[in-house]
Amino acid sequence: MSTPTAEIIARCQALFDDLNFSYAREWKAAVPGRIVVGYMPFYVPRELIHAAGGLALGVLGGGEQLEVIQGDAYYQSYICRIPRSTIELGVTNRLDFVDAMLFPSICDVIRNLSGMWKIMFPKVRSRYFDVPQNYRDDVGGTFYINELNELREMLAEASGREVTDAAIRASIGLYNENRALVREVYAFRARQPWKAPSSEVYLLMRAGMILAVEEHSRLLREYLAAAAAEDRPRRDNSRVVVTGAFCEQPPLNLIKSIELSGCYIVDDDFMLVNRWEQSDIAEDGDPVANLARAYLHNSANTSAKYEPDVAQKGLYLVEAVKRSRAEGVIFASPSFCDPALLERPMLQRVLAAHDIPFIAFKYAENSGQMQPIREQAGTFADSIKLWSNQ
Amino acid sequence: MTVTAAAEVVKDSSMLKQKEMISGNYRKLETAAADGRKVAATFVPGNLNELIMCFDMLNNLPEINAIQNGLRKKTGGYIMEAEKRGHSEDVCTYVKADLGMIAKGNIGPDGQKLPNPDLLLLSYTGCFTFMKWFELLRDHYRCETAMLHVPYQGDGKITANMIAYVVRQLKEEVIPKLERISGVKFDIDRLRENLARSARAEEDFVWVLESAKKKPSPIDAYFGGVYYIGPIFTAFRGTQDATEYYRLLRAEIAERIALGQGPVTPTGDMPNERYRLVVEGPPNWTSFRDFWKMFYEEGAVVVASTYTKVGGLYDQGFRHDPAKPLESLAEYCLGCYTNRNLPARIDLIEKYMEEYEADGILINSIKSCNSFSAGQLLVLREIERRTGKPGAFIESDLVDPRYFSPANIKNRLESYFQMVDQRRAGGGSAPARAA
Ligand code: SF4
Ligand code: SF4
C-alpha cells in the first residue's frame, strides 16, 4: 500500500514525465479565455501572468526523457542542452497551446533564444524579460516598473482582458502563500532531511512549474503534513548544499545519486523562481511598485544578478550553508553554462575563506552515466565526516 | 569582444598613425602612476570613451589586451594558467586570457607592466559574460566598480524607458563615481566637444565601410576592417587623433578607388576579386594571418561584416550627438550589434547581402562567445532562405589556439568557394571586374 507521500510524489512524477503538458492543456481548455504563458529559468513575475487569467508554465527543457533530434540542428556542440531541447519541444508541437513565451535575463543563450522563438514561432508572443542590475528605486526601480507595465500590457492583449491592480494584488497574495509554503518545505527538509528526500522535494517543486498556484499550494500543504507524519530511516549522511543548477536541470537520477552516495541535500538552487522573493511582497498599495521593490531589495541571489558590494559577493552561499546547517557545497553546473561556471571561482574563494569544503562537477540534462558522480559525491560525503570527526 | 590593429601588414600613413596611437596609449598606461593619471578599465562595446576623457582618465581595455596577446600568440599559456587556477574550460577565452595574464604578473602585450585600474567601469552591453568578467576582476583588484546596465533590445528596438534608465545611471552612478575617483568635476561642454569629434570621425569611418559597395572593393571589411575599427572602438573615439586617423584612411581608400585597386593584404594588393562575402562573427586572433590568407589567396573579399559593428552601428545612421550628450551615449550603448535581437541581426545581414552584392554569407562561429554564437545556425538558414545565396559555417575561437584547426577550415572554405562557383554557373551575381 502506498503512503500518502508516495501518492503525492507519484502525481508530481506524472506531471514531470508528461512532456505533452496535458495538465496545462486541460487547464486551458476548461475555461474559455484562459491563456498559458511559458517561461524559462530563472525568474519572471508569475503574479502578472496569474492576474491576467493565465497559467505560468515553467519550461525547463526536455530533461533526460526527450530525444532531441531537430533541436541539435540549431546549436553548436559547445552550447548547453536546454535551448536545443526547448526548441525540440517547440518544433514537435508540444508547446503548441502556449500563448506567450517569456525569456528571462539570465544569459546570452536564453537571450538569443528569445529572438529565435520570434522567428520560429511567429504566432506566439515572445518577450525577452529584462530585469534591472541597478537596485536603486529611482534608477533600476523606475526602469523595472515600466518593464513590468509593458509585460502587463502584453498579457492583457494576449488574454483579451485588463490586468487590474486588484487582480495583481490578489495574485501577489496567492504567490506569497505559495512561497511561504515552499520555504516551509525547504526548512522542513533542512531540519529532517531523511523525512523529505531531495528527489521528492525536487519533484514537488517541479510540480510548481506546471500546476496552478492554488493547486500547488494545496499539494505543498499535503506533503508537509504527510511527510511529517511518516517515519523513515535516518541515515548518517553528510549535509550538502547544491548550487549552480538554476537553469538547465540535472537529471532526476543525478539528484538521487547524490543522495544515494551519502549526502542529504539541505538546500539547492534548482528552481529559484519558487522562492525568488525571500519574504512576502506587500499586498497593499501599488502592486506593480511592490513587485519592483521586492525584486530590488528582497530577492534571491544568483549568478545572473550583479552584486554591487564586493564584500557581499558570494555570501549568499555561505548564508545558505549556515541556514541549512550544511557541511559542504556541491557545485553542479550544466556544461557550457556561462553564468554558473563564471561565478564558480568567486564562490569557491568565499567558501574557502569560510572553511567550507566543496566539490564541483558538470552535467547535462540528458547525462546518463551517474557512476562517476556517485563516486565523487560519496568520497566527498566520507571526507566531510572524517573532517568533522577530527 | 573587439579589436585593434597590431600586425604590421600595411604601411599606409593611417596604419602608422594607428600604431603610434596604440603604443602611445600603452606607454601612458605604463607611466600612469608616475604621471598621477587615474586608469579606468572598461569594455569595447558600449564604452564611454568621450565621458572618461572628461575626467582626464586613461582607458585600459581588457578585450584589447586579450586580442593583442592573441596576435602575439601569448594567450594559449595565459588561458591554461587561468584554467589551472580553477576557471572552467567552457567559458569565454578573453576572460581567461585576461585573468591568466594578470596571474602571470599583468605584463601587457608590449612587455610592460599594466597598471592596476582605479575604476572598473562595467558597460554591460550585449554580453552577459562582461558582468562576470568584471566581478572576477573586482575580486582581484578590490577596486571601485561602476556598473552601467544597458538593457537588451529584446523586441529589436530602443525604447524611451531604456534610454531614460541608462541616462539615469550615468547621472546618478557613473558620473559621480568618475568625479570622485578622478577629482575632476564633470563639464558637459567638454563632453560635447568630444562627441563632436567622434561624430566627425564616424562620418569618415562609414564612408570607408561603404566603399566596399564598389566593385572591386577597395577594402576588406573584416580582416582589414578590424584595423579600421581600432581607433573608433577603443581608447581613441572622441580624440583629435582618431579624427585625423579616419581623415587619412578615407583619403587612402579614395586613392585606391581612383586606381581601381582591391584591398591591401599582408602580401600586398589583392589583384583579383573573385568572391564577395558577408561575414558574421569575430575572427580568430591567434592565427589571424593564416586565416586571412585562406581568403585572399582565393580572391575572396569580405565586403561587410557584423564584427565591425560590435562597437556601434554607425553605418546604420547612428552618430554621437553633442546636442544631447547623455542620451546619445545611451543610444550608442543600446545600439551595439550584439545588443540587437536575433531578428534584427538577421535583417541587418540580409541588408548587407543585398547592398554589398555579396555572393554568400560565411559564419565564423566562436566557441567562446555565446552572445554571438547562440542562434547562428538559424541565422545561416534564414539568410540562405531569404537571399538564395549559399552560406558556410566554420568554427574556431578567439584567442585559444587549441580551437583553430587550419586544415579543417581551409577545406571547408575551399568547398564553399566551389559551391559559390556552381551557384554562379547556375545564375547569380557575377564576379567583380575593375571599375
Ligand atoms: S544552462 Fe546556463 S548557459 Fe545554458 S541557457 Fe541556462 S543559464 Fe544559459
Ligand atoms: S562572450 Fe563574446 S562578447 Fe562576451 S566577452 Fe566573450 S567574446 Fe566578448
Side-chain angles (χ1 to χ4, degrees), chain B residues 14 112 200:
Chain B
S14 65
Q112 302 296 319
R200 276 198 292 282

Side-chain angles (χ1 to χ4, degrees), chain A residues 189-206:
Chain A
R189 181 180 64 171
R191 277 195 310 274
Q192 295 171 297
W194 60 95
K195 287 196 163 206
S198 286
S199 51
E200 290 188 4
V201 172
Y202 181 79
L203 287 169
L204 199 59
M205 296 303 150
R206 276 295 286 257

Side-chain angles (χ1 to χ4, degrees), chain A residues 70 72-79 105-120 126-128 130-136 138-147 150 302-311 313 334-339 341-346 348-350 362, chain B residues 85-92 95 122 124-129 131-133 135-136 138-139 142-143 145-147 149-156 159 161-162 165 168-169 172-173 338-343 345-346 365-378 381-382 386 393-396:
Chain A
Q70 300 178 66
D72 272 339
Y74 289 88
Y75 285 101
Q76 302 88 317
S77 55
Y78 48 79
I79 289 176
S105 168
I106 179 171
C107 76
D108 297 329
V109 174
I110 287 193
R111 186 196 74 174
N112 288 4
L113 183 59
S114 70
M116 292 173 74
W117 216 265
K118 283 182 196 287
I119 293 169
M120 296 178 71
S126 319
R127 184 177 171 89
Y128 171 76
D130 219 341
V131 288
Q133 299 286 1
N134 174 298
Y135 308 118
R136 272 176 60 167
D138 60 338
V139 182
T142 309
F143 166 73
Y144 193 44
I145 287 173
N146 288 326
E147 289 293 304
E150 280 182 27
T302 182
S303 161
K305 271 175 77 184
Y306 178 63
E307 170 53 68
D309 180 359
V310 65
K313 183 71 206 173
S335 294
F336 307 109
C337 176
D338 282 345
L341 294 169
L342 286 160
E343 180 90 341
R344 201 173 68 182
M346 291 183 274
Q348 291 180 339
R349 182 190 56 69
V350 176
K362 292 188 290 185
Chain B
R85 289 167 182 259
H87 295 276
S88 166
E89 64 270 28
D90 291 354
V91 300
C92 174
V95 180
L122 165 55
Y124 172 27
T125 310
C127 161
F128 178 86
T129 296
M131 187 169 94
K132 295 289 111 184
W133 189 351
E135 283 188 343
L136 284 159
R138 183 182 62 179
D139 227 36
R142 300 267 145 183
C143 67
T145 313
M147 150 69 114
H149 173 214
V150 178
Y152 180 63
Q153 290 189 41
D155 284 333
T159 65
N161 186 38
M162 293 174 185
Y165 175 44
R168 240 177 272 127
Q169 291 178 79
E172 303 289 333
E173 305 271 351
T338 46
N339 205 48
R340 302 195 140 200
N341 75 356
L342 216 73
R345 279 171 56 181
I346 293 173
S365 182
I366 293 292
K367 175 183 180 284
S368 272
C369 184
N370 283 342
S371 174
F372 256 107
S373 304
Q376 276 176 330
L377 284 158
L378 180 66
R381 280 186 194 204
E382 275 295 298
R386 293 187 197 180
F393 201 85
I394 53 176
E395 294 183 9
S396 68

Side-chain angles (χ1 to χ4, degrees), chain B residues 266-298:
Chain B
T267 51
D269 292 347
M270 200 178 100
N272 192 6
E273 176 183 300
R274 293 181 60 212
Y275 309 102
R276 296 170 66 84
L277 302 178
V278 171
V279 172
E280 145 80 9
N284 164 273
W285 299 108
T286 42
S287 300
F288 184 76
R289 291 247 198 135
D290 296 336
F291 192 30
W292 190 354
K293 194 168 171 208
M294 293 177 198
F295 288 74
Y296 65 74
E297 277 190 344
E298 297 285 342

Side-chain angles (χ1 to χ4, degrees), chain B residues 142-189:
Chain B
R142 300 267 145 183
C143 67
E144 296 240 28
T145 313
M147 150 69 114
L148 179 69
H149 173 214
V150 178
Y152 180 63
Q153 290 189 41
D155 284 333
K157 57 179 193 284
I158 298 174
T159 65
N161 186 38
M162 293 174 185
I163 293 181
Y165 175 44
V166 177
V167 169
R168 240 177 272 127
Q169 291 178 79
L170 290 172
K171 282 186 182 157
E172 303 289 333
E173 305 271 351
V174 176
I175 292 174
K177 220 167 233 177
L178 283 164
E179 280 185 323
R180 186 160 51 74
I181 288 164
S182 67
V184 176
K185 192 145 180 45
F186 177 53
D187 173 359
I188 199 155
D189 289 327

